[in-house]
Amino acid sequence: MIHRAELVDELARDLPADTAHYGFDVRAVHDTGTHVEVAFTNGHRNVADLVIGANGIHSKIRSLLGDPSPPRYAG
């Protein structure tokens, strides 16, 4: 388990520039089986091998990927 802020710091430090996007609201996520397509509410779109939704307990990514369970605080 890792604190969300620590994960975001690690991602920002280790990923190439323009890989991580912060402050974007996700509208849709589509897993094609070979890559993931992400559409944002501001019109921006990305194609990636992997999507990490490090946006806390109310993650929209989780629900968009089909997890219907309610959020649960893990401590």
Side-chain angles (χ1 to χ4, degrees), residues 1-2 5 7-8 12 15 18-19 24 31 41-42 46 48-49 53 60 66 75:
M1 174 120 35
I2 184 171
L7 176 60
V8 170
L15 292 173
D18 198 37
T19 301
F24 284 34
D31 183 353
T41 58
N42 66 359
N46 267 83
D49 295 326
K60 189 170 184 181

Side-chain angles (χ1 to χ4, degrees), residues 18-73:
D18 198 37
T19 301
H21 298 282
Y22 305 99
F24 284 34
D25 291 323
V26 176
R27 181 175 49 81
V29 177
H30 178 65
D31 183 353
T32 70
T34 59
H35 62 273
V36 182
E37 299 170 356
V38 182
F40 299 93
T41 58
N42 66 359
H44 188 82
R45 298 181 72 81
N46 267 83
V47 174
D49 295 326
L50 170 73
V51 173
I52 300 173
N55 52 344
I57 193 168
H58 300 290
S59 174
K60 189 170 184 181
I61 299 291
R62 188 185 75 247
S63 63
L64 288 171
L65 291 177
D67 184 351
S69 64
R72 174 186 76 189
Y73 182 66

